[in-house]
Structure formats: C-alpha cells, structure tokens
Amino acid sequence: MILNRQRLLPLLAVAVGVLATLVFVFTPRPAQPGLAVVVLASAAGDRLGPVALHAGPASLSVAGDAPKAPDSRVAARFTLPPGTYPVRVGNVSAPVPLTVRSGATEPLLLAVRNGAVVRAGVYVGVENVNLGLQELSGRVSPMADFHLVDQDGKPLDRNSLLGRDTVIAAFHTSCRETCPLYTGLLLQIHRSAPDVRLIEVTTDPAHDTPAVLSTYRSSIGANWTFATGQADDLAAFWAPFGVS
C-alpha cells in the first residue's frame, strides 16, 4: 500500500503529538526540595555564639539570640533534597536524623546555655522541638543521661530512648507482690499501644544480672526490655524519681 504525501503529513503530525504526550507523561518531574528551619531557645534567655551546623550536604553557621522558652527565634533556613540526613551542631549530634519531605518544612531546635548548644540539646522534628521547648521552660523535666545494660548485656542510655514514647517501671525479679501487677499493666499497655517502648529497670542490681533478667523475661513471656547495671549507676538513675 502506498500513501501519498497529503495523507502522510496528518499521520506524522498525530504520531509526533502522541510521542510528545508520552515523553511528558513518562518523564519524572524533579522532586521539590524541603525546607529546614533552625530555631534557638534557652531556659533563661541567652545568646548562641557562632557554631557550625551540618545536615547532609548542607553546612552553615548559626548564631544569635536564644529567647527564654517557650519563646524561640528563627536563626536560619536552608533547603535540602528529600531524604534523611544526620545532623551535627559543633560537637553535638542529634539523636535522630532530619527527614526532609518534598515541599514540607521541618524544624530543628538548638537549646542554648552559656553561649553554646547544650549536650543533647539538638531536637529534630515537630514533636521533639515541642518537647525541647517544654523542657527548657520547666514544664517537663529532662531525663539525665544514664548508663545501664539490657537483658542481653547491650548498653542502654538516654540517647537510645530519645524520639519514642517510653514507659519505665521499677521492679526486681524476686518481687512476688506488686511487680507481677506492674507486669500485667505493661502487658495491657503493649496490647493497646504497641508503638510505646516498655522498660523494666531493676532496683536489685546485686541479684538481677543480665542473665537473670533474660531468664525472667522468658519465663513471663515478655518481649520488652529489662535493664540492670552497676549499683552506683542504678542509684543515680532512680534518684530523680525518688526510688531507692
């Protein structure tokens, strides 16, 4: 079959149009960057000296007034491609990474004291920033760092708990009265709120070694964490809660 030129030109025009449509449909559009906003706050009013902030490929200097919480001040803004990035401010690393979403804004709070970012004073994400402001304003008491081990002998400290709701209960494996009630309560919490982290910390380090905790954990069918440590470390851990 032979097509003349007059019939061929319209067919070519249609083919080119279809091809252009396919290219438009199947060519992925570049993802829009996300915005990170750095805010400063302090417990009593302060000022941050220049400090280097690193978040993935972004590096910038942050400084300025840090109002008394719950007030805060925006000190810097920067964009990043969508992704997850570790954050470091001077020598302080954030316990959770910065997750940037296309076209969205993600806050970072720097807690300031004596002109510097306090240890564990980098808060990433809306929930953690709100928590940081409450801690600085005195509405919530921050938990001091601690050094314990779990039932497998693995280290357990403050940084390993950040970024997730956690319930901590005092117990010891030789307790036969109130402790089983706590275990039953924790089991109910686990069933109704499975995303909440549960930890039982012993008050009898001389007896409750990691091996003893592991056996106890298996015997009651628990799948949450049990912790112990040196006597001094446990005394320091429980002191703020009034537990001896």
Side-chain angles (χ1 to χ4, degrees):
M1 180 178 179
I2 298 177
L3 297 175
N4 61 39
R5 187 174 181 180
Q6 289 182 343
R7 295 184 61 186
L8 184 60
L9 288 177
L11 292 175
L12 288 175
V14 172
V16 171
V18 171
L19 179 60
T21 301
L22 291 174
V23 171
F24 178 79
V25 170
F26 291 107
T27 300
R29 296 181 179 180
Q32 295 295 317
L35 177 66
V37 177
V38 183
V39 297
L40 306 180
S42 62
D46 212 315
R47 182 175 177 81
L48 177 66
V51 63
L53 185 151
H54 304 277
S59 296
L60 61 152
S61 179
V62 180
D65 292 334
K68 181 179 179 180
D71 292 334
S72 62
R73 187 184 71 84
V74 175
R77 295 179 175 88
F78 60 94
T79 59
L80 283 171
T84 301
Y85 306 98
V87 176
R88 180 168 52 85
V89 182
N91 295 323
V92 180
S93 295
V96 295
L98 171 67
T99 299
V100 177
R101 297 175 179 82
S102 179
T105 300
E106 194 74 9
L108 292 88
L109 169 66
L110 307 185
V112 180
R113 183 175 63 234
N114 298 328
V117 177
V118 303
R119 183 182 179 187
V122 181
Y123 299 82
V124 179
V126 174
E127 290 188 5
N128 288 326
V129 167
N130 288 336
L131 173 62
L133 291 174
Q134 291 186 68
E135 290 180 350
L136 289 170
S137 64
R139 296 176 182 175
V140 174
S141 297
M143 193 170 188
D145 198 9
F146 58 88
H147 302 283
L148 305 177
V149 293
D150 68 10
Q151 71 279 346
D152 299 319
K154 297 179 180 178
L156 182 70
D157 58 18
R158 179 181 182 274
N159 283 345
S160 63
L161 303 187
L162 296 177
R164 183 177 172 190
D165 292 336
T166 302
V167 173
I168 300 174
F171 93 112
H172 52 92
T173 58
S174 56
C175 170
R176 296 292 183 267
E177 297 178 357
T178 58
C179 296
L181 298 177
Y182 293 145
T183 298
L185 178 60
L186 293 179
L187 180 59
Q188 293 181 42
I189 294 175
H190 175 68
R191 289 173 175 171
S192 61
D195 292 335
V196 174
R197 181 195 290 112
L198 305 177
I199 303 176
E200 292 193 63
V201 180
T202 185
T203 55
D204 185 10
H207 178 265
D208 290 342
T209 63
V212 170
L213 294 183
S214 181
T215 300
Y216 178 84
R217 182 174 184 261
S218 298
S219 69
I220 66 173
N223 62 355
W224 53 82
T225 300
F226 291 80
T228 186
Q230 298 297 319
D232 290 346
D233 289 334
L234 277 166
F237 173 83
W238 281 124
F241 302 98
V243 177
S244 61

